[in-house]
Amino acid sequence: MSLQAQIAEYDKQKNASAPKEILELMASTTHELMAAGLANDALQVGDYAPDFSLPNVHGELVTLAEMLAHGPVVLNFYRGGWCPYCNYELRAFEEVLERIEDLGSQLVAISPETPDNSLTTKDKNELSYAVLSDVGNNVSNDYGLVYSLDERLRPVYKNSGVDLPANNGDDTFNLPMPATYVINQSGEIVYAFVSEDYTKRAEPSEVVKILTTLDN
């Protein structure tokens, strides 16, 4: 089943069970982000990816430049392990990981969660690829992805058990827009998916298709 089909099934269940006023609030805040055109400020195809050095779940630094020395890189920015859409996406990329690696590429996921919470996310989803912690959203900001969670949504998240300050180790309520990039060995972005709508994600099969066109 495609990632989009899995998300559609989850949306169906959510819409049938969640309070109507909560669903309407989430929809309206998403529409406001889209109307503001935040994704237009994110890095796009043809831009060069800023280098970074971030810790993985074991505290070891992973550097984009070092990964690119071995082949193309797929970067996946996600909000956190508390986000159901993120978990569907992370698992969907795990399903195509072998294909990505067979094509001489590496996959890495980035969120603002602390290393301990990133480890929980990695273990929960049984991920084989690197999960990095961008505490403070510094790298996400370099890619033009950062936004602040609407104040009206903060108590909704908290009441559902999502403590963003605790998860992310800061009190900003900043999050990255969902984004997936394919970066060739020259550091150029050759595929970009960015959306203000947190329910929309790149289809892993499309990413694999892009990788097949690259010269490694």
Side-chain angles (χ1 to χ4, degrees):
M1 183 184 295
S2 70
L3 174 57
Q4 305 312 318
Q6 294 178 59
I7 288 176
E9 182 62 28
Y10 173 76
D11 279 337
K12 183 178 179 181
Q13 296 172 9
K14 183 182 73 173
N15 292 336
S17 60
K20 181 179 179 181
E21 62 273 15
I22 297 300
L23 293 173
E24 291 177 346
L25 176 59
M26 289 181 169
S28 66
T29 54
T30 296
H31 289 154
E32 289 170 10
L33 289 176
M34 295 174 68
L38 295 186
N40 295 331
D41 295 327
L43 295 185
Q44 302 293 340
V45 171
D47 291 329
Y48 280 83
D51 193 17
F52 60 76
S53 184
L54 290 174
N56 62 18
V57 298
H58 304 297
E60 302 161 337
L61 291 180
V62 175
T63 302
L64 177 60
E66 293 177 355
M67 288 190 290
L68 288 174
H70 300 284
V73 172
V74 178
L75 287 185
N76 185 51
F77 290 88
Y78 70 102
R79 304 195 303 163
W82 49 267
C83 170
Y85 297 92
C86 298
N87 291 319
Y88 278 113
E89 180 183 33
L90 292 170
R91 290 193 295 269
F93 271 104
E94 176 69 24
E95 292 178 1
V96 299
L97 178 61
E98 184 176 355
R99 180 67 174 137
I100 289 173
E101 293 178 340
D102 285 346
L103 290 167
S105 303
Q106 294 182 70
L107 168 65
V108 62
I110 299 173
S111 86
E113 291 186 306
T114 64
D116 282 347
N117 286 312
S118 293
L119 177 59
T120 299
T121 298
K122 182 178 173 72
D123 288 346
K124 176 177 66 177
N125 291 296
E126 299 180 333
L127 304 179
S128 305
Y129 54 90
V131 177
L132 309 183
S133 293
D134 180 25
V135 175
N137 284 288
N138 294 315
V139 174
S140 293
N141 188 62
D142 287 342
Y143 283 72
L145 303 173
V146 178
Y147 72 99
S148 183
L149 184 69
D150 192 291
E151 291 185 2
R152 293 168 291 175
L153 286 176
R154 296 176 190 181
V156 173
Y157 278 45
K158 187 171 183 179
N159 290 338
S160 64
V162 179
D163 187 340
L164 283 182
N167 276 19
N168 297 348
D170 66 26
D171 57 1
T172 65
F173 288 90
N174 287 344
L175 293 170
M177 289 182 285
T180 301
Y181 291 103
V182 175
I183 304 167
N184 68 18
Q185 278 200 272
S186 298
E188 181 181 359
I189 295 170
V190 295
Y191 171 87
F193 176 95
V194 183
S195 178
E196 301 96 343
D197 185 346
Y198 66 93
T199 72
K200 308 299 182 186
R201 305 298 167 115
E203 187 64 56
S205 61
E206 288 298 314
V207 172
V208 170
K209 185 177 179 180
I210 293 295
L211 291 173
T212 64
T213 69
L214 301 183
D215 294 325
N216 294 334

